[in-house]
Structure formats: C-alpha cells, structure tokens
Amino acid sequence: MANPFDPKAVLLAKHAQHVVLIHFPIALFISAVAFDLVAQRTKRGGWADAAYYNLLAAALSTFPVLATGILAWQFQLEGQKLKGILLLHLLLACASSVMIWLVWWVHFRRATAWRLKFWGSVWSR
C-alpha cells in the first residue's frame, strides 16, 4: 500500500488531479459572480476588485483543469474516441472555459477603462 503522505505518489498519480482541480474554476467563478452582484448593489470598488481577481484565478485555473482532463482521458481510456456523455463533457468543458475567459475579458476591459479614466483625471490636476 502506498504511503498517503508521500507527495510524489499524490502529485504523480495517474488519476485524481482532474477530479480535485475541477472545483477551483467552478468555485472561483461562482464567488466572482456573487462578489460582482454585491459590488453592483453596494457600489463599492473592493467587491468589484475581488470579483475581478476571482475571475482571473478561475480563468487561469482552466488550463490545468483542461490539461488534466485530457490526460485522464488518455490514461483511463487509452485515447479511445469519445462518444456520448464523455464527448458532451469535453465540449461543455471547452465551452465553459471560453465563457470564463470571456467574462474575465469583459471585466478586464471595464477595469482598464476605469483605471485610465481615474488616472487621467489624477494626472490632469
């Protein structure tokens, strides 16, 4: 039996990484939406900043999630052609990742426009 406290065994296992990592973009995206709603309601910039950084973390975490999902497919199914539920899973995963990146991009553009307007008014004084 493998030692459960052996970091090499945990990090290099041929399974489990995708199952563990998938929760990060989901939770970060949901919390970003919640922070954004609070920011819209209270008009406080701190909540909007929290939403922005949660979205950024969610977007960045999609890369390892997609990579580990593809690796799990290769290891577990030995690269067999996907069909049915697994094909739908892959398509929805890619669509979700693109949507998270699009939402982050919208926030990035809004934050950049606000910063330019703010700093432009500061420098023009």
Side-chain angles (χ1 to χ4, degrees):
M1 184 169 140
N3 181 1
F5 299 107
D6 180 21
K8 185 177 179 182
V10 172
L11 294 174
L12 299 177
K14 289 186 176 181
H15 59 82
Q17 285 89 4
H18 181 70
V19 176
V20 171
L21 292 176
I22 190 60
H23 296 92
F24 287 99
I26 295 169
L28 289 166
F29 183 77
I30 290 171
S31 63
V33 170
F35 290 152
D36 205 24
L37 290 173
V38 172
Q40 293 293 323
R41 201 156 195 43
T42 63
K43 306 291 188 220
R44 292 190 179 177
W47 291 104
D49 290 342
Y52 172 80
Y53 288 114
N54 271 297
L55 280 172
L56 178 61
L60 292 173
S61 67
T62 60
F63 292 124
V65 168
L66 288 173
T68 56
I70 291 169
L71 287 173
W73 163 36
Q74 295 299 317
F75 287 139
Q76 296 297 323
L77 299 177
E78 297 170 349
Q80 292 177 4
K81 184 177 178 184
L82 292 178
K83 57 184 176 182
I85 296 292
L86 288 177
L87 179 60
L88 181 64
H89 186 91
L90 178 65
L91 294 174
L92 290 175
C94 292
S96 299
S97 296
V98 168
M99 293 293 284
I100 290 171
W101 275 100
L102 284 173
V103 171
W104 172 80
W105 181 70
V106 167
H107 270 260
F108 176 75
R109 286 184 45 120
R110 185 181 66 188
T112 304
W114 179 84
R115 284 185 188 103
L116 289 175
K117 185 166 57 168
F118 173 75
W119 287 108
S121 65
V122 168
W123 290 111
S124 65
R125 289 183 187 172

